[in-house]
Short mmCIF file of all heavy atoms in Angstrom, two decimals:
data_model
loop_
_atom_site.label_atom_id
_atom_site.label_comp_id
_atom_site.label_asym_id
_atom_site.label_seq_id
_atom_site.Cartn_x
_atom_site.Cartn_y
_atom_site.Cartn_z
N ARG A 1361 4.55 -7.69 -10.55
CA ARG A 1361 4.07 -8.31 -11.79
C ARG A 1361 2.57 -8.08 -11.88
O ARG A 1361 1.80 -8.70 -11.17
CB ARG A 1361 4.39 -9.79 -11.80
CG ARG A 1361 5.88 -10.05 -11.95
CD ARG A 1361 6.20 -11.49 -12.10
NE ARG A 1361 5.58 -12.03 -13.30
CZ ARG A 1361 5.52 -13.33 -13.55
NH1 ARG A 1361 6.00 -14.19 -12.70
NH2 ARG A 1361 4.94 -13.76 -14.66
N GLY A 1362 2.19 -7.17 -12.73
CA GLY A 1362 0.80 -6.81 -12.90
C GLY A 1362 0.70 -5.35 -13.28
O GLY A 1362 1.64 -4.76 -13.80
N SER A 1363 -0.44 -4.76 -13.02
CA SER A 1363 -0.66 -3.34 -13.31
C SER A 1363 -1.05 -2.62 -12.02
O SER A 1363 -1.71 -3.20 -11.15
CB SER A 1363 -1.78 -3.17 -14.33
OG SER A 1363 -1.42 -3.78 -15.56
N ILE A 1364 -0.64 -1.38 -11.93
CA ILE A 1364 -0.97 -0.54 -10.78
C ILE A 1364 -1.71 0.68 -11.30
O ILE A 1364 -1.31 1.27 -12.29
CB ILE A 1364 0.31 -0.10 -10.04
CG1 ILE A 1364 1.11 -1.32 -9.56
CG2 ILE A 1364 -0.04 0.82 -8.87
CD1 ILE A 1364 2.48 -1.00 -9.02
N ASP A 1365 -2.79 1.04 -10.63
CA ASP A 1365 -3.57 2.21 -11.03
C ASP A 1365 -3.94 3.00 -9.78
O ASP A 1365 -4.20 2.42 -8.73
CB ASP A 1365 -4.83 1.77 -11.78
CG ASP A 1365 -5.51 2.92 -12.50
OD1 ASP A 1365 -4.87 3.98 -12.68
OD2 ASP A 1365 -6.67 2.76 -12.90
N ASP A 1366 -3.97 4.27 -9.91
CA ASP A 1366 -4.47 5.17 -8.85
C ASP A 1366 -3.86 4.90 -7.48
O ASP A 1366 -4.47 4.28 -6.62
CB ASP A 1366 -6.00 5.05 -8.72
CG ASP A 1366 -6.73 5.64 -9.90
OD1 ASP A 1366 -6.09 6.32 -10.72
OD2 ASP A 1366 -7.94 5.42 -10.01
N ILE A 1367 -2.66 5.38 -7.27
CA ILE A 1367 -2.06 5.33 -5.95
C ILE A 1367 -2.34 6.65 -5.26
O ILE A 1367 -2.07 7.72 -5.81
CB ILE A 1367 -0.53 5.13 -6.03
CG1 ILE A 1367 -0.23 3.77 -6.64
CG2 ILE A 1367 0.11 5.26 -4.65
CD1 ILE A 1367 1.24 3.54 -6.90
N ARG A 1368 -2.92 6.57 -4.06
CA ARG A 1368 -3.20 7.79 -3.29
C ARG A 1368 -2.65 7.61 -1.88
O ARG A 1368 -2.86 6.58 -1.26
CB ARG A 1368 -4.69 8.08 -3.24
CG ARG A 1368 -5.03 9.31 -2.39
CD ARG A 1368 -6.45 9.76 -2.52
NE ARG A 1368 -7.41 8.73 -2.14
CZ ARG A 1368 -8.73 8.86 -2.29
NH1 ARG A 1368 -9.23 9.98 -2.80
NH2 ARG A 1368 -9.55 7.89 -1.93
N ILE A 1369 -1.94 8.63 -1.40
CA ILE A 1369 -1.44 8.66 -0.02
C ILE A 1369 -2.02 9.88 0.66
O ILE A 1369 -1.94 10.99 0.13
CB ILE A 1369 0.10 8.68 0.02
CG1 ILE A 1369 0.64 7.42 -0.67
CG2 ILE A 1369 0.59 8.77 1.46
CD1 ILE A 1369 2.14 7.37 -0.78
N THR A 1370 -2.63 9.64 1.79
CA THR A 1370 -3.24 10.70 2.60
C THR A 1370 -2.49 10.79 3.92
O THR A 1370 -2.23 9.75 4.54
CB THR A 1370 -4.72 10.35 2.88
OG1 THR A 1370 -5.38 10.12 1.64
CG2 THR A 1370 -5.42 11.44 3.63
N THR A 1371 -2.13 11.98 4.35
CA THR A 1371 -1.48 12.14 5.65
C THR A 1371 -2.30 13.07 6.52
O THR A 1371 -2.97 13.97 6.03
CB THR A 1371 -0.05 12.70 5.51
OG1 THR A 1371 -0.09 13.93 4.79
CG2 THR A 1371 0.85 11.73 4.78
N GLY A 1372 -2.25 12.79 7.82
CA GLY A 1372 -3.01 13.59 8.78
C GLY A 1372 -4.46 13.16 8.89
O GLY A 1372 -5.25 13.76 9.62
N TYR A 1373 -4.82 12.09 8.17
CA TYR A 1373 -6.20 11.64 8.13
C TYR A 1373 -6.23 10.17 7.75
O TYR A 1373 -5.66 9.77 6.75
CB TYR A 1373 -6.95 12.47 7.08
CG TYR A 1373 -8.38 12.06 6.82
CD1 TYR A 1373 -9.38 12.30 7.76
CD2 TYR A 1373 -8.74 11.46 5.63
CE1 TYR A 1373 -10.69 11.93 7.50
CE2 TYR A 1373 -10.05 11.10 5.36
CZ TYR A 1373 -11.02 11.33 6.31
OH TYR A 1373 -12.31 10.97 6.05
N ALA A 1374 -6.88 9.36 8.58
CA ALA A 1374 -7.06 7.93 8.27
C ALA A 1374 -8.35 7.80 7.49
O ALA A 1374 -9.44 7.89 8.04
CB ALA A 1374 -7.10 7.11 9.54
N ARG A 1375 -8.24 7.67 6.18
CA ARG A 1375 -9.39 7.72 5.28
C ARG A 1375 -10.44 6.65 5.58
O ARG A 1375 -11.62 6.88 5.45
CB ARG A 1375 -8.89 7.59 3.85
CG ARG A 1375 -9.87 8.04 2.81
CD ARG A 1375 -9.23 8.15 1.44
NE ARG A 1375 -8.39 9.32 1.28
CZ ARG A 1375 -8.84 10.54 0.99
NH1 ARG A 1375 -10.12 10.75 0.85
NH2 ARG A 1375 -8.01 11.54 0.84
N TYR A 1376 -10.03 5.46 5.95
CA TYR A 1376 -10.96 4.37 6.25
C TYR A 1376 -10.68 3.88 7.67
O TYR A 1376 -9.56 3.49 7.98
CB TYR A 1376 -10.77 3.20 5.28
CG TYR A 1376 -10.74 3.62 3.83
CD1 TYR A 1376 -9.56 3.59 3.09
CD2 TYR A 1376 -11.88 4.08 3.20
CE1 TYR A 1376 -9.53 3.97 1.76
CE2 TYR A 1376 -11.87 4.47 1.87
CZ TYR A 1376 -10.68 4.42 1.16
OH TYR A 1376 -10.66 4.81 -0.15
N VAL A 1377 -11.69 3.87 8.53
CA VAL A 1377 -11.48 3.41 9.91
C VAL A 1377 -12.59 2.49 10.41
O VAL A 1377 -12.52 1.97 11.51
CB VAL A 1377 -11.32 4.59 10.90
CG1 VAL A 1377 -10.06 5.37 10.59
CG2 VAL A 1377 -12.53 5.49 10.88
N ASN A 1378 -13.61 2.28 9.62
CA ASN A 1378 -14.72 1.43 10.05
C ASN A 1378 -14.43 -0.03 9.76
O ASN A 1378 -13.46 -0.36 9.07
CB ASN A 1378 -16.01 1.86 9.34
CG ASN A 1378 -16.42 3.25 9.74
OD1 ASN A 1378 -16.31 3.61 10.90
ND2 ASN A 1378 -16.86 4.04 8.78
N LEU A 1379 -15.29 -0.89 10.26
CA LEU A 1379 -15.12 -2.32 10.02
C LEU A 1379 -15.11 -2.61 8.52
O LEU A 1379 -14.30 -3.38 8.04
CB LEU A 1379 -16.24 -3.10 10.72
CG LEU A 1379 -16.17 -4.61 10.62
CD1 LEU A 1379 -14.86 -5.12 11.20
CD2 LEU A 1379 -17.34 -5.24 11.34
N TYR A 1380 -15.99 -1.97 7.78
CA TYR A 1380 -16.02 -2.08 6.33
C TYR A 1380 -16.12 -0.68 5.74
O TYR A 1380 -16.53 0.25 6.41
CB TYR A 1380 -17.23 -2.90 5.85
CG TYR A 1380 -17.19 -4.32 6.31
CD1 TYR A 1380 -17.92 -4.74 7.40
CD2 TYR A 1380 -16.41 -5.25 5.63
CE1 TYR A 1380 -17.88 -6.06 7.82
CE2 TYR A 1380 -16.36 -6.57 6.04
CZ TYR A 1380 -17.09 -6.97 7.14
OH TYR A 1380 -17.04 -8.26 7.55
N TYR A 1381 -15.77 -0.54 4.49
CA TYR A 1381 -15.97 0.72 3.79
C TYR A 1381 -16.46 0.41 2.40
O TYR A 1381 -16.28 -0.69 1.90
CB TYR A 1381 -14.69 1.57 3.77
CG TYR A 1381 -13.63 1.06 2.80
CD1 TYR A 1381 -13.51 1.62 1.54
CD2 TYR A 1381 -12.77 0.03 3.15
CE1 TYR A 1381 -12.56 1.16 0.65
CE2 TYR A 1381 -11.82 -0.43 2.28
CZ TYR A 1381 -11.72 0.13 1.04
OH TYR A 1381 -10.78 -0.32 0.15
N ASP A 1382 -17.08 1.39 1.78
CA ASP A 1382 -17.54 1.21 0.41
C ASP A 1382 -16.35 1.29 -0.53
O ASP A 1382 -15.59 2.25 -0.51
CB ASP A 1382 -18.56 2.29 0.04
CG ASP A 1382 -19.85 2.14 0.85
OD1 ASP A 1382 -20.15 1.02 1.28
OD2 ASP A 1382 -20.53 3.16 1.05
N THR A 1383 -16.17 0.27 -1.33
CA THR A 1383 -15.06 0.21 -2.27
C THR A 1383 -15.19 1.32 -3.30
O THR A 1383 -16.26 1.50 -3.88
CB THR A 1383 -15.05 -1.16 -2.98
OG1 THR A 1383 -14.97 -2.19 -2.00
CG2 THR A 1383 -13.88 -1.27 -3.94
N PRO A 1384 -14.12 2.10 -3.53
CA PRO A 1384 -14.20 3.14 -4.57
C PRO A 1384 -14.53 2.51 -5.92
O PRO A 1384 -13.98 1.46 -6.27
CB PRO A 1384 -12.78 3.73 -4.59
CG PRO A 1384 -12.19 3.36 -3.28
CD PRO A 1384 -12.82 2.06 -2.88
N ASN A 1385 -15.42 3.14 -6.67
CA ASN A 1385 -15.82 2.57 -7.96
C ASN A 1385 -15.42 3.46 -9.13
O ASN A 1385 -15.91 3.31 -10.22
CB ASN A 1385 -17.32 2.27 -7.98
CG ASN A 1385 -18.16 3.49 -7.70
OD1 ASN A 1385 -17.63 4.60 -7.65
ND2 ASN A 1385 -19.44 3.30 -7.50
#
Side-chain angles (χ1 to χ4, degrees):
R1361 290 186 62 192
S1363 297
I1364 301 171
D1365 193 15
D1366 291 348
I1367 295 174
R1368 178 170 58 186
I1369 300 175
T1370 305
T1371 56
Y1373 175 71
R1375 198 168 284 278
Y1376 311 109
V1377 295
N1378 296 319
L1379 183 58
Y1380 296 100
Y1381 74 98
D1382 293 334
T1383 303
N1385 57 9

